[in-house]
Amino acid sequence: MSVTLPPLKYNADGLIPAIVQDAKTHRVLMMAWMNAAALGATLRTGCMNYWSRSRQKFWLKGETSGHTQRVVRWAADCDADTLLFEVEQTGCACHTGYESCFFQTFTPDGTPVEISETRVFDPEKTYGG
Amino acid sequence: MSVTLPPLKYNADGLIPAIVQDAKTHRVLMMAWMNAAALGATLRTGCMNYWSRSRQKFWLKGETSGHTQRVVRWAADCDADTLLFEVEQTGCACHTGYESCFFQTFTPDGTPVEISETRVFDPEKTYGG
């Protein structure tokens, strides 16, 4: 059985959130936003495309850094208003050089936990100073 | 080293998205929204609290179903506008009875994949008919 989901629900700006997870380790790497065109390009090419809210432009992940994300499988949630993509990540997901954007963790009560991982790349070298 | 994040960035409605992941299996269970009060209650009690956009009310996850979520650790992303919680899930996360809200998966090109898992509970029995 597969479920026929209702049409995807985009927000008032025409966007839907996309959670991105490493297909092998299941680490959550990032969350970004897609419009219908970015989702279409992602399904057509197999590489993650987003809509950048800060830059107000279409965004092929890795276009500058080379850190592309190949789609392995994806899911829509029960409300059809959030997407989850499992990907093969080249390099790392975060523009700060960490593997995941969620590198700063906290204890349940909100105390920051010391970061033990190291950056995968130097953002100044990748994006220019 | 721990990073001092900028203050959390809530959207124009005063909300921030919270991705929820099973702390043991790393399966992504759901995404919901928090306002500052819901985040405060979550950190204070150790159980996930949200703001329901559809019902416009504060929402202790599991208040009706008993399917509570205990916080193990959490993270904010590099932009401080998305949260990720790793939890111990009692029962299951989805109101449809599936373990995760992301039970309907698709191949990279968008073909629905047959659902092989079964529901953990019958939603009619839990929430009433």
Side-chain angles (χ1 to χ4, degrees):
Chain A
M1 179 189 76
S2 68
V3 170
T4 304
L5 287 168
L8 293 179
K9 288 181 205 151
Y10 295 87
N11 70 11
D13 296 323
L15 301 176
I16 190 166
I19 303 165
V20 183
Q21 183 176 37
D22 185 290
K24 279 202 189 118
T25 66
H26 293 159
R27 185 173 188 184
V28 175
L29 299 174
M30 58 183 283
M31 195 192 87
W33 295 79
M34 288 178 159
N35 58 12
L39 176 59
T42 297
L43 301 193
R44 209 164 48 244
T45 65
C47 287
M48 295 299 290
N49 286 267
Y50 305 102
W51 176 257
S52 169
R53 296 178 304 166
S54 57
R55 292 180 287 150
Q56 286 287 303
K57 70 187 280 276
F58 191 78
W59 164 35
L60 164 64
K61 175 68 179 171
E63 63 190 347
T64 305
S65 64
H67 298 161
T68 52
Q69 298 169 326
R70 197 181 68 77
V71 180
V72 174
R73 71 185 68 80
W74 62 284
D77 78 343
C78 52
D79 292 328
D81 64 3
T82 306
L83 305 179
L84 172 67
F85 287 84
E86 292 186 55
V87 305
E88 282 179 9
Q89 173 74 57
T90 300
C92 60
C94 187
H95 74 288
T96 64
Y98 285 104
E99 181 192 23
S100 163
C101 294
F102 298 97
F103 55 85
Q104 180 60 70
T105 59
F106 300 86
T107 62
D109 68 2
T111 307
V113 175
E114 190 165 333
I115 299 171
S116 55
E117 65 184 317
T118 54
R119 290 175 203 261
V120 178
F121 73 89
D122 178 344
E124 289 210 0
K125 284 188 188 153
T126 299
Y127 296 107
Chain B
M1 179 189 75
S2 69
V3 170
T4 303
L5 287 169
L8 293 180
K9 290 181 205 151
Y10 296 86
N11 71 11
D13 295 324
L15 302 176
I16 190 166
I19 303 164
V20 183
Q21 183 176 37
D22 186 289
K24 279 200 191 120
T25 67
H26 293 159
R27 184 172 189 183
V28 175
L29 300 173
M30 58 183 283
M31 195 193 87
W33 294 79
M34 290 179 159
N35 58 12
L39 177 59
T42 297
L43 301 193
R44 207 164 51 245
T45 64
C47 287
M48 295 299 291
N49 286 266
Y50 304 102
W51 176 258
S52 169
R53 295 178 305 165
S54 56
R55 292 179 287 150
Q56 285 288 302
K57 69 186 280 275
F58 191 78
W59 164 35
L60 165 63
K61 175 70 179 169
E63 63 190 348
T64 305
S65 64
H67 298 160
T68 52
Q69 298 171 326
R70 197 180 68 76
V71 180
V72 174
R73 71 184 70 80
W74 62 283
D77 78 341
C78 53
D79 292 328
D81 63 4
T82 305
L83 306 179
L84 171 67
F85 286 83
E86 291 187 54
V87 305
E88 280 178 11
Q89 173 74 57
T90 300
C92 58
C94 187
H95 73 287
T96 64
Y98 285 104
E99 181 193 23
S100 163
C101 294
F102 297 97
F103 55 85
Q104 179 59 71
T105 60
F106 299 86
T107 62
D109 68 3
T111 308
V113 175
E114 191 165 333
I115 299 170
S116 55
E117 66 185 315
T118 53
R119 289 175 203 261
V120 178
F121 73 89
D122 178 344
E124 289 210 359
K125 284 189 187 151
T126 299
Y127 296 107

